[in-house]
Amino acid sequence: QVQLVESGGGLVQPGESLRLSCVTSGLIFSDYIMSWYRQAPGKERELVAVISNHRDNAIYSESVKGRFTIFRDNAENTVYLQMNSLKSDDTAEYYCNAVTGYGFKSVRPRFSWGQGTQVTVSS
């Protein structure tokens, strides 16, 4: 059974940074394209970053491009999200998942969601 365990969230002030981690188990991690989603209160879950399983190519939503970096450690079965220059609009629950393709259109999560990690950006 695949498990996704996110951590690293917290309360920070605008302009600060956080690094999220997602430790996976029950899958051959290096076979999968991985991603980070987020869901703000009252909003739909939003895909924000995708990383390929080879060569570490990555793409980002316009809302986080230039501020967030997704990267992975295949030896540790872990995907990360480095978040810099955080804004109040980044406040959300963050989730990782494997996805069905490398892109933002017609991409779906593959596995059941983990518990997520809460990021709150507030002064």
Side-chain angles (χ1 to χ4, degrees):
Q1 182 177 357
V2 173
Q3 288 193 315
L4 308 169
V5 181
E6 300 92 347
S7 63
L11 171 63
V12 296
Q13 294 188 345
E16 294 186 338
S17 299
L18 278 175
R19 178 176 292 183
L20 308 183
S21 301
C22 171
V23 178
T24 72
S25 59
L27 74 166
I28 301 175
F29 181 73
S30 59
D31 282 354
Y32 290 94
I33 299 167
M34 295 299 297
S35 69
W36 282 94
Y37 287 75
R38 68 185 181 186
Q39 187 167 22
K43 295 187 177 181
E44 292 188 356
R45 198 164 298 188
E46 171 193 18
L47 178 61
V48 297
V50 181
I51 186 167
S52 66
N53 53 330
H54 298 299
R55 297 185 179 179
D56 287 353
N57 293 327
I59 50 176
Y60 302 90
S61 68
E62 287 300 320
S63 59
V64 308
K65 191 179 295 183
R67 300 187 298 120
F68 290 11
T69 302
I70 185 172
F71 59 102
R72 63 193 294 161
D73 184 337
N74 286 347
E76 297 293 330
N77 297 332
T78 302
V79 61
Y80 301 92
L81 187 68
Q82 176 67 40
M83 306 187 296
N84 298 331
S85 302
L86 283 161
K87 308 174 181 179
S88 57
D89 288 349
D90 296 319
T91 295
E93 193 83 18
Y94 284 73
Y95 304 86
C96 73
N97 212 319
V99 288
T100 55
Y102 182 71
F104 278 80
K105 295 183 178 180
S106 302
V107 170
R108 298 184 305 279
R110 288 186 175 271
F111 304 115
S112 298
W113 297 102
Q115 84 288 348
T117 187
Q118 176 67 38
V119 172
T120 303
V121 185
S122 176
S123 55

